[in-house]
Amino acid sequence: MMNKTGKNGIIFGKFYPLHIGHVDFIQRASGYVETLYVFVCTDDERDMKLFNESKMKKMPTTKDRIRFVTQTFKYQENIKVIHLAEDGIPAYPNGWTGWADRVKEVLAKNEIKIDVIFTNEPQDVENYKSNFIDKGYTADVFSDELEIITIDTSRNNFNISATEIRKDPYKNWHFIPKYVREFFILKVGIIGSEHSGKTNLTHKLANHYNTTYVREYRKEYIKEVLQNNEDNLQYEDYSQIAYGQNQKISESVKNADRLVIIDTEFTSLQAYYIKNNESEHPVIEDFIRNSNFDVLIYIEKTDQKGTFNEILQKLLEKNNKKYIKLTHENNTSLTENYIKSIEIIDNYINQKTV
């Protein structure tokens, strides 16, 4: 195709989100030039609209999206990532002149001269040719022999788009890179009565979906810090438990496959605090307000409908936390609730892929 000696190439993209098609395109292009500059293009207003219309569980920041690319190519030293803010420029396919000027400004600021533009969009070739000419521009940021090279325009290597992933991530999961997946992970919380098989169910579901799980950090804390003496729990201990549980969830999400199973969430921790202290803990309350679970499965032990369950269910109602209730009567219930939970989770995932 071309001799790469001393050549600088450039690729533009929103990468909202980065997917395996992007990765393949970037890696193919990187072999044809000495240095490949990947411009991550953002526009706050546009990107908010994309997020609101997507199935993403949290909105990636500009730094997150830059990190998608830098983390994915961290061992390919000739790939460099640069941010391009497109705010205030008319939306594609309009606004080419203003957009081209913005690109030139960023290149000049970074003292970069481009020899090759790579694209997999044939309709953009003529616009690149007509807009990236340095006539009348003070900085020489494009070569006089600028090449526009198309790669895999038919998407034969990976027939996927960011739009398809935003709309149906779980169907297209294998196209989503490791560093991007956490923005789509479903959180499944197992809550309910004490000694109702919640931990058993959490382990079983994690094995079934071949994914990660989070143990109830309150139990671990009591065992490791208080030497199993629950009566010694104090105000600050509950703060530490809340922060510890949140950290365990964040760590587990990073390695999960489509969903993470969590044994007990923050509303349950608040119920324990209220049961013992007759007031709400503000740190836990903050976590309740700012944490979202996609599926909450409540296991209620039929012979245990006392204070804790009453407190927990009132808290769930107060905080508008919707849940599906299953009952635990005996050891047979462990298998019955396992089967029912799979049906609940599968139905939720299937609804999200329609």
Side-chain angles (χ1 to χ4, degrees), residues 87-141:
D87 303 80
I89 300 172
Y92 179 92
N94 303 308
W96 270 94
T97 300
W99 183 79
D101 288 342
R102 189 79 56 89
V103 170
K104 293 173 183 178
E105 289 172 8
V106 173
L107 289 171
K109 179 181 177 181
N110 289 275
E111 299 181 345
I112 297 169
K113 186 171 184 177
I114 297 299
D115 304 284
V116 189
I117 298 174
F118 294 98
T119 182
N120 53 14
E121 303 287 353
Q123 68 271 21
D124 289 343
V125 172
E126 288 306 316
N127 279 312
Y128 283 140
K129 288 180 178 178
S130 61
N131 284 282
F132 291 126
I133 298 173
D134 290 327
K135 292 180 179 179
Y137 195 71
T138 56
D140 185 20
V141 294

Side-chain angles (χ1 to χ4, degrees), residues 57 187 262 287-295 321:
K57 310 312 297 183
K187 293 179 183 176
I262 300 163
F287 276 108
I288 292 173
R289 286 196 305 268
N290 293 289
S291 64
N292 293 309
F293 285 73
D294 300 282
V295 178
K321 303 285 186 182

